[in-house]
Amino acid sequence: MASIANVTSQKAELLGSALLDDPEHNKGTAFTLQERRELGLEGLLPHAVETLDRQLERVLEHLDAKPSDLERYIYLIALGDRNETLFYRTLMSDPARFIPIVYDPTVADACLTFGHIYRRARGMYVTRDMKGRIAQVLRNWPKHDVRFVCVSTGGRILGLGDIGSNGMGIPIGKLQLYTACAAVPPDYLLPVLLDIGTTNDALRADPLYLGLRQPPPPVHELDALVDEFIQAVADVFPGCCIHFEDWKGTDALRFLARYKDKILCYNDDIQGTAAVGLAGLTTALQIIDAPLTAQRILFFGAGSAAIGNANLMVSAMQAKGLSLDEARARISMFDINGLIESSRKDLTDDQKVYAHKAAPSRDLFKTIETFKPTVLIGVSTKGGAFTQQIVETMSSLNARPIIFALSNPTDKAECTAEQAYTWSKGKALYAAGVQFPEVTLNGRTFHPGQANNFYIFPAIGLATYVARPTKLTDACFIVAAEASADQVGPEMRAKGMLYPSQANILETEVTTATRVVEYMFDQGLAQVKRPRDIRAWIEGQLYRPQY
Ligand code: NAI
């Protein structure tokens, strides 16, 4: 965080135009007349001395004049390159407006054209051919106290598939959300693109593509590379948390299983997604006053999102008294080849545990009639799969059916909010992966929830930043999910909302982080001294964008 004290301490190193070129310390037109004299800035800035809020006004004017969100993204990223404080002041002035620009959905367009809109490197590119000297490469990063590395291979970005090195927009955006949502100081965050090559022929043929133009290596080679990377991060940045993001599904599951009990790490696509699913489900069950342990949950789609969600729901059911087998028996899955059942020969180990004895079926409607789910969760990428017949059947089986259509982008949602509320005659407790507009039905207005991971991972980040835990257990994510659910008040619930408001996101994240930190202290995971007032202690460490 830049402050006058910081700027002054930089005097010996940064003066004049070098200071204006340093985004961390640059204040632009907010440098005072005295600072301008002392720091060699006279003549390099116009006459006016402005406040941060006046500068924000100008930024907002610029943003309003831009023709598209992609142009706003490019502008904001360039602003971050010039003046980090003003960049975060902008994002934190209206998170609900700016998060969809620096992150999903606009970041998807940014990633698609990353090689074309590229201005300068933000974060590190660790390439396969650096094998054997990754630690040496990481030492080139100018900061030594790095607390989070968000690392992607670009192997499965949002709904875009493998986009290789263009995926760098994701770790950058994800870490910006740590700060914009949960006020984790940006100095400690390092985005990394582990460039293993790409299967994407079109990209490899694009002259402006910036990554390695090779296909990814075989599994054993990738595993050895990732092992070296993990060790190098531990050596160069001791105590750093590794956040895996947007890796190919099978790689994501394999690496999480390999490292989660050994080092401080997590995978947001798996654990963050699972926690946000559990958070919405917990709110829905609080609304209908039903226990998690009595639900029958059907996942439509059995990929990494389904497996992550199911595994965390199983852990949550175990915490409420069910055995592992009893909990797993409450969950079924249906994928592109039909119901996951025990005679299927094409299942992965992660899927096999949800393969129960049942007649094979390729008909979702029939599976619903037989399994009688209380909860239906779409993570299939198959837009429109929850037809009127499916939603009506869920509504005839349940007084308040819980229906989540989590696939995104919008055209992949299994059903829209309007369809869910209309076809269920207002009975459905519904959440989507994207933000649908509110729906009015017979004079009643419903606000569909968005199962957005930003309700969870920035809070986990903040908790990790302050408590410095040895590892992140599934229970940390369950606690975060419950904390999110507990922040949806009765008025919001009456409107069908399953998640806290986006406008107060910092307050929400701090409340969630406080619960997680309490849990970390209670379980002996935290490595710092327990303060008397955990919330006040966390608040004292929040980043505030001010000069
Ligand atoms: P994945 O590719 O690992 O899995 C997709 C699964 O859907 C596979 O099991 C596949 O067999 C199944 N499937 C595909 N077409 C189908 C069809 N026609 N009928 C039945 N099953 C079909 O993908 P992943 O990572 O599990 O993500 C799935 C979706 O969930 C994506 O759209 C993703 O954007 C979304 N998602 C949403 C999140 C959120 O809202 N917070 C978080 C993570 C993922």
Side-chain angles (χ1 to χ4, degrees):
M1 183 188 328
S3 67
I4 290 178
N6 276 348
V7 170
T8 310
S9 72
Q10 287 289 316
K11 248 196 271 185
E13 300 154 46
L14 289 176
L15 290 172
S17 57
L19 179 54
L20 297 179
D21 286 342
D22 182 83
E24 213 181 305
H25 300 101
N26 180 24
K27 302 199 240 173
T29 53
F31 280 113
T32 64
L33 294 179
Q34 190 191 342
E35 284 171 333
R36 293 176 189 204
R37 267 195 303 277
E38 287 177 5
L39 300 171
L41 295 168
E42 282 182 305
L44 300 180
L45 291 162
H47 166 74
V49 175
E50 295 183 307
T51 61
L52 183 57
D53 283 347
R54 180 72 69 213
Q55 291 179 317
L56 172 64
E57 218 175 280
R58 183 175 299 107
V59 166
L60 296 178
E61 235 181 70
H62 287 168
L63 286 167
D64 285 344
K66 299 284 171 204
S68 68
D69 278 348
L70 182 58
E71 290 297 328
R72 289 183 191 98
Y73 174 91
I74 294 169
Y75 174 84
L76 281 169
I77 292 294
L79 174 64
D81 287 339
R82 286 196 308 277
N83 183 335
E84 186 179 84
T85 311
L86 183 53
F87 170 75
Y88 281 113
R89 176 76 183 88
T90 307
L91 260 48
M92 294 166 92
S93 71
D94 191 352
R97 174 175 173 200
F98 292 116
I99 290 169
I101 297 177
V102 292
Y103 201 65
D104 200 20
T106 308
V107 75
D109 294 338
C111 284
L112 279 176
T113 54
F114 203 79
H116 294 254
I117 64 173
Y118 177 84
R119 303 295 199 271
R120 58 180 276 186
R122 303 175 58 86
M124 297 196 82
Y125 292 82
V126 176
T127 310
R128 200 164 125 198
D129 52 18
M130 294 168 185
K131 175 126 187 30
R133 44 192 193 88
I134 295 178
Q136 187 191 331
V137 170
L138 291 180
R139 287 197 180 90
N140 288 340
W141 186 245
K143 307 254 169 70
H144 302 301
D145 189 1
V146 171
R147 305 281 189 87
F148 295 92
V149 161
C150 180
V151 59
S152 181
T153 54
R156 193 236 62 170
I157 296 291
L158 304 168
L160 307 175
D162 179 357
I163 58 167
S165 164
N166 278 10
M168 183 50 141
I170 297 294
I172 292 173
K174 216 77 197 210
L175 289 176
Q176 284 168 344
L177 262 56
Y178 276 52
T179 306
C181 296
V184 176
D187 277 10
Y188 302 100
L189 312 175
L190 170 55
V192 174
L193 193 287
L194 188 63
D195 191 349
I196 60 170
T198 176
T199 52
N200 190 322
D201 292 335
L203 271 185
R204 295 206 312 247
D206 179 351
L208 289 185
Y209 179 60
L210 291 160
L212 205 62
R213 291 167 195 269
Q214 293 169 15
V219 167
H220 68 276
E221 233 180 86
L222 177 62
D223 287 5
L225 182 76
V226 176
D227 274 349
E228 182 187 329
F229 175 77
I230 299 286
Q231 189 56 51
V233 171
D235 291 347
V236 179
F237 308 121
C240 178
C241 174
I242 297 184
H243 166 164
F244 293 99
E245 185 66 38
D246 283 356
W247 292 51
K248 194 178 82 182
T250 44
D251 291 342
L253 288 162
R254 188 172 76 255
F255 288 123
L256 183 64
R258 192 176 171 107
Y259 300 118
K260 78 175 199 175
D261 294 326
K262 297 195 188 114
I263 59 161
L264 177 61
C265 70
Y266 75 103
N267 182 311
D268 182 57
D269 305 306
I270 300 171
Q271 293 161 294
T273 297
V276 87
L278 182 62
L281 180 57
T282 305
T283 313
L285 294 174
Q286 286 172 353
I287 292 172
I288 58 175
D289 194 21
L292 176 65
T293 48
Q295 305 310 308
R296 280 183 310 281
I297 302 168
L298 178 61
F299 283 91
F300 181 68
S304 52
I307 297 290
N309 262 285
N311 289 350
L312 197 69
M313 286 171 189
V314 164
S315 296
M317 288 187 204
Q318 286 182 280
K320 293 184 190 305
L322 294 195
S323 70
L324 181 62
D325 287 346
E326 285 168 341
R328 284 176 173 165
R330 301 215 141 264
I331 294 178
S332 258
M333 294 186 181
F334 192 105
D335 74 356
I336 193 146
N337 295 319
L339 178 66
I340 300 250
E341 41 76 25
S342 46
S343 75
R344 289 244 322 238
K345 299 283 174 259
D346 59 338
L347 305 179
T348 64
D349 288 346
D350 294 301
Q351 292 169 328
K352 277 182 193 156
V353 299
Y354 297 106
H356 311 304
K357 268 202 165 55
S361 164
R362 283 180 171 264
D363 183 336
L364 176 64
F365 172 65
K366 288 208 174 109
T367 297
I368 289 177
E369 281 199 317
T370 314
F371 183 64
K372 298 190 176 17
T374 54
V375 182
L376 177 63
I377 300 180
V379 272
S380 66
T381 68
K382 171 80 178 140
F386 296 169
T387 57
Q388 183 164 358
Q389 185 190 34
I390 301 277
V391 174
E392 284 176 354
T393 307
M394 282 298 291
S395 308
S396 67
L397 290 168
N398 302 285
R400 301 292 309 270
I402 298 171
I403 300 176
F404 292 174
L406 299 184
S407 291
N408 55 57
T410 308
D411 62 336
K412 302 225 164 107
E414 285 78 3
C415 65
T416 65
E418 189 170 5
Q419 290 168 336
Y421 293 127
T422 309
W423 294 337
S424 71
K425 301 196 168 48
K427 285 164 51 172
L429 290 157
Y430 173 86
V434 295
Q435 183 61 61
F436 280 111
E438 55 184 38
V439 177
T440 301
L441 193 70
N442 302 330
R444 189 170 162 209
T445 300
F446 297 88
H447 294 260
Q450 186 192 9
N452 195 316
N453 291 25
F454 70 50
Y455 288 113
I456 302 292
F457 77 84
I460 291 283
L462 178 58
T464 302
Y465 170 68
V466 294
R468 312 206 73 170
T470 44
K471 58 182 177 174
L472 286 165
T473 61
D474 278 352
C476 295
F477 289 88
I478 295 174
V479 172
E482 288 170 350
S484 166
D486 290 346
Q487 292 178 73
V488 188
E491 266 180 39
M492 297 167 82
R493 288 169 184 209
K495 294 176 191 155
M497 292 172 79
L498 301 182
Y499 294 96
S501 124
Q502 295 189 6
N504 275 337
I505 195 76
L506 178 58
E507 171 71 18
T508 307
E509 306 280 3
V510 172
T511 303
T512 301
T514 303
R515 291 262 293 267
V516 176
V517 168
E518 276 165 7
Y519 177 82
M520 288 171 170
F521 278 118
D522 291 347
Q523 297 301 309
L525 293 168
Q527 298 189 93
V528 294
K529 192 165 168 284
R530 184 175 190 134
R532 217 183 286 161
D533 181 342
I534 290 180
R535 185 170 180 119
W537 174 72
I538 293 176
E539 283 175 351
Q541 298 179 69
L542 298 179
Y543 168 77
R544 300 194 194 276
Q546 58 201 18
Y547 295 131

